């Protein structure tokens, strides 16, 4: 008996060796060029190799028992290649696709249906009804998140998660989980032009639509009058509505000026923000927010609003789509281009555009910044500007950084003055 087992074991080994030999020859025939001499140390440009044992029998004329390399890049040996999943863009890269307005259709999840069943167990002939209720549908919640910078990730349609159906043995169905829509702080939620909520703080939530209630199983309808109910109700549909999401930049100060007035350069000079700068109009197409840090650890946010042109209140140029970002600012800095022929006329035109959009904007504190003072013709126009304008004029040069310290200190004065004055709706926004 033992000798028979030894014979079977040897036959099995021979079969396995023969299969390994066929496998190696098949790979070799596909990946090696003609004229390949077995027994030589020849390596084809392949990603991985086998090495036969030194004691293996060599093949081919003149071959010895040397070690040889075998390719494993054939289709039989290669690993299955999977298509790489495209990585999602980070929030930093998505800032170039700035979106400040979305129209979203939302539908809450439907409730699960109830079950009609009766208890079945040996030696329990009258087990009674045991159909459970269905789970509630998931709601859709809009949540303010300071990590999010725009509404670019918000899609046009949202559908809540449906609840699961009820089960036997009085098992209730699972409720649908909530669906969160993350938006930046400062987002207004509107419905047919009416503002529902202002998500101005981090973590603030608003339940946009509620999910449907789950259906009732026949166990719910059990009573003394009805000992064997056959009734089970389906789940309710979720709530549906169409909402408008509108983003308004949250900042303390807003830089207001005509195109190519040097607002982006000025923001780079007084803060760590790095908006694009070029020598042509409308370089800034999206609002940028820079933060000024003071020695007492107070932070002041300054928003660079895209350039306003004449007739912006009539939706010309970028128009109203960016004028609404100015509404959140507590005070303004009117940036004037001192290289223009009459820079004092720019101030009148800027005030006119703000008053036509919202008369209350002109009542807020503001200062006049005379930019591009590094140009030789700007010095003579500065005295004329101070004679025409009654407000304080701060001459600066965003290119050279001249007098930017005075501007930073004046911003702090306006910031502290807003807290001293107070208002009925609470303190000004702290960055």
């Amino acid at each position: 008996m033992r000798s028979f087992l030894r014979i079977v074991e040897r036959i099995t080994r021979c079969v396995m060796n023969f299969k390994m030999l066929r496998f190696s020859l098949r790979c070799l025939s596909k990946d090696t060029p003609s004229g390949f001499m077995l027994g030589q140390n020849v390596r084809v440009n392949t990603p991985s190799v086998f090495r036969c044992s030194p004691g293996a029998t060599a093949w081919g004329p003149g071959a010895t028992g040397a070690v040889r390399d075998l390719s494993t890049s054939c289709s039989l040996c290669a690993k299955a290649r999977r298509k790489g999943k495209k990585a999602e863009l980070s929030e930093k890269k998505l800032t170039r696709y700035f979106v400040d307005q979305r129209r979203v259709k939302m539908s809450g999840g439907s409730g699960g249906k109830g079950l009609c069943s009766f208890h079945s167990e040996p030696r329990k002939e009258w087990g009674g009804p045991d159909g459970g209720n269905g789970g509630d549908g998931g709601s859709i919640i809009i949540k303010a998140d300071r990590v999010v910078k725009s509404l670019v990730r918000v899609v046009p349609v949202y559908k809540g998660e449906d609840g699961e159906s009820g089960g036997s043995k009085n098992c209730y169905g699972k409720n649908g989980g909530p669906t969160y829509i993350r938006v930046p702080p400062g987002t207004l939620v509107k419905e047919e032009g009416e503002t529902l909520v202002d998500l101005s703080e981090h973590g603030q939530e608003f339940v946009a639509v509620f999910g449907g209630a789950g259906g009732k199983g026949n166990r719910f309808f059990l009573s003394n009058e009805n000992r064997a109910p056959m009734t089970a109700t389906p789940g309710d549909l979720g709530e549906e509505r169409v909402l408008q999401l509108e983003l308004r930049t949250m900042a303390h100060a807003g830089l207001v000026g005509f195109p190519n007035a040097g607002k982006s350069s000025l923001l780079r000079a007084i803060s760590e923000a790095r908006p694009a700068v070029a020598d042509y109009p409308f370089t800034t197409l999206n609002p940028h927010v820079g933060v000024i840090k003071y020695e007492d650890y107070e932070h002041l946010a300054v928003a660079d609003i895209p350039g306003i042109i004449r007739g912006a209140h009539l939706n010309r140029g970028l128009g109203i789509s960016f004028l609404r970002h100015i509404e959140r600012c507590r005070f303004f800095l009117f940036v004037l281009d001192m290289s223009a022929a009459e820079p004092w006329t720019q101030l009148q035109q800027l005030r006119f555009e703000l008053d036509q959009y919202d008369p209350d904007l002109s009542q807020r504190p503001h200062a006049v910044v005379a930019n591009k003072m590094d140009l030789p013709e700007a010095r003579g126009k500065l005295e004329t500007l101070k004679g025409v304008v009654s407000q304080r004029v701060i001459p600066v040069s965003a290119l050279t950084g001249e007098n930017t310290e005075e501007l930073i200190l004046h911003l702090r004065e306006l910031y502290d003055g807003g807290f001293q004055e107070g208002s009925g709706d609470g303190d000004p926004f702290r960055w």
Side-chain angles (χ1 to χ4, degrees), residues 299-341:
H299 292 176
L300 193 150
V302 182
D304 175 20
I305 309 299
I308 299 175
I309 64 173
R310 298 176 181 86
H313 66 281
L314 301 176
N315 209 18
R316 295 176 182 174
L318 299 177
I320 298 176
S321 60
F322 287 105
L323 273 173
R324 60 169 168 262
H325 291 283
I326 305 177
E327 295 185 40
R328 296 297 182 95
C329 300
R330 294 287 176 174
F331 45 90
F332 304 129
L333 294 178
F334 292 102
V335 182
L336 306 182
D337 185 3
M338 297 304 292
S339 64

Side-chain angles (χ1 to χ4, degrees), residues 244-271:
Q244 293 82 33
L245 304 182
E246 187 176 297
L247 173 61
R248 298 186 179 181
T249 303
M250 300 284 290
H252 301 105
L255 301 178
V256 184
F258 285 105
N260 209 21
K263 301 184 297 300
S264 300
S265 301
L266 185 60
L267 185 65
R268 294 171 66 101
I270 64 177
S271 70

Side-chain angles (χ1 to χ4, degrees), residues 107-139:
S107 302
S110 302
K113 61 181 180 180
L115 181 67
C116 179
S117 67
F118 290 87
H119 187 72
S120 176
E121 188 178 349
R123 294 179 295 277
K124 282 190 177 181
E125 184 177 357
W126 308 102
D130 66 346
N133 299 338
D136 298 334
S139 303

Side-chain angles (χ1 to χ4, degrees), residues 234-428:
D236 298 335
L237 297 177
E239 186 181 3
E240 291 186 4
R241 66 196 311 183
V242 178
L243 301 178
Q244 293 82 33
L245 304 182
E246 187 176 297
L247 173 61
R248 298 186 179 181
T249 303
M250 300 284 290
H252 301 105
L255 301 178
V256 184
F258 285 105
N260 209 21
K263 301 184 297 300
S264 300
S265 301
L266 185 60
L267 185 65
R268 294 171 66 101
I270 64 177
S271 70
E272 297 180 358
R274 291 296 177 265
V277 175
D279 58 350
Y280 54 84
F282 292 108
T283 307
T284 302
L285 298 178
N286 305 322
H288 295 275
V289 179
V291 179
I292 302 175
K293 300 178 183 180
Y294 293 92
E295 294 182 355
D296 57 351
Y297 303 102
E298 193 68 64
H299 292 176
L300 193 150
V302 182
D304 175 20
I305 309 299
I308 299 175
I309 64 173
R310 298 176 181 86
H313 66 281
L314 301 176
N315 209 18
R316 295 176 182 174
L318 299 177
I320 298 176
S321 60
F322 287 105
L323 273 173
R324 60 169 168 262
H325 291 283
I326 305 177
E327 295 185 40
R328 296 297 182 95
C329 300
R330 294 287 176 174
F331 45 90
F332 304 129
L333 294 178
F334 292 102
V335 182
L336 306 182
D337 185 3
M338 297 304 292
S339 64
E342 296 180 352
W344 46 88
T345 60
Q346 296 183 1
L347 180 61
Q348 300 175 359
Q349 294 167 358
L350 291 173
R351 287 177 176 174
F352 175 77
E353 295 296 334
L354 295 183
D355 290 338
Q356 293 299 316
Y357 178 73
D358 187 356
D360 296 335
L361 293 179
S362 61
Q363 306 298 328
R364 300 183 185 180
H366 59 273
V368 180
V369 179
N371 195 16
K372 302 184 181 181
M373 291 304 299
D374 54 296
L375 300 178
E377 64 272 14
R379 296 295 178 181
K381 300 176 185 178
L382 179 61
E383 300 299 329
T384 307
L385 177 63
K386 290 182 178 179
V388 175
V389 178
S390 58
Q391 289 81 13
R392 179 179 179 180
V393 179
I394 304 176
V396 299
S397 174
L399 181 63
T400 62
E402 177 186 356
N403 211 22
T404 54
E405 295 82 0
E406 181 182 352
L407 176 60
I408 294 175
L409 294 177
H410 184 63
L411 285 173
R412 182 59 187 271
E413 294 176 3
L414 295 175
Y415 176 75
D416 295 337
F419 279 98
Q420 294 176 2
E421 291 177 5
S423 58
D425 55 351
D427 292 335

Side-chain angles (χ1 to χ4, degrees), residues 115-287:
L115 181 67
C116 179
S117 67
F118 290 87
H119 187 72
S120 176
E121 188 178 349
R123 294 179 295 277
K124 282 190 177 181
E125 184 177 357
W126 308 102
D130 66 346
N133 299 338
D136 298 334
S139 303
I140 298 180
I141 303 174
I142 304 176
K143 184 176 182 179
D145 189 352
R146 58 170 169 256
V147 177
V148 183
K149 302 303 179 184
S150 73
L151 302 177
V152 66
R153 291 187 182 271
V154 180
V155 297
V157 179
Y158 281 92
K159 178 68 171 67
E161 183 180 349
D162 296 336
E164 295 183 358
S165 302
S168 58
K169 300 181 181 179
N170 299 321
C171 293
Y172 283 30
K174 180 182 177 181
N175 296 333
T179 302
Y180 286 92
I181 304 176
R182 302 188 181 276
V183 297
T187 302
L188 294 180
V189 182
K190 295 184 177 181
E191 185 178 19
E192 296 180 356
E194 181 181 355
T195 302
L196 301 179
V197 66
D198 182 4
L199 302 176
S200 58
E201 299 180 1
H202 172 70
Q204 187 176 357
E205 297 181 355
F206 170 70
V207 182
V209 292
F210 290 93
K216 304 299 182 182
N218 62 341
R219 174 73 181 184
F220 177 82
F221 298 98
L222 177 65
S223 63
N224 292 332
E225 293 77 15
N226 188 3
R227 303 303 299 174
M230 299 290 294
T231 305
T233 61
D236 298 335
L237 297 177
E239 186 181 3
E240 291 186 4
R241 66 196 311 183
V242 178
L243 301 178
Q244 293 82 33
L245 304 182
E246 187 176 297
L247 173 61
R248 298 186 179 181
T249 303
M250 300 284 290
H252 301 105
L255 301 178
V256 184
F258 285 105
N260 209 21
K263 301 184 297 300
S264 300
S265 301
L266 185 60
L267 185 65
R268 294 171 66 101
I270 64 177
S271 70
E272 297 180 358
R274 291 296 177 265
V277 175
D279 58 350
Y280 54 84
F282 292 108
T283 307
T284 302
L285 298 178
N286 305 322

Side-chain angles (χ1 to χ4, degrees), residues 38-57:
L38 301 180
Q40 297 178 357
N41 274 330
V42 180
R43 177 172 298 187
V44 186
N45 292 328
T46 54
S48 57
V49 262
F50 277 153
R51 296 186 72 87
C52 296
S53 60
T57 306

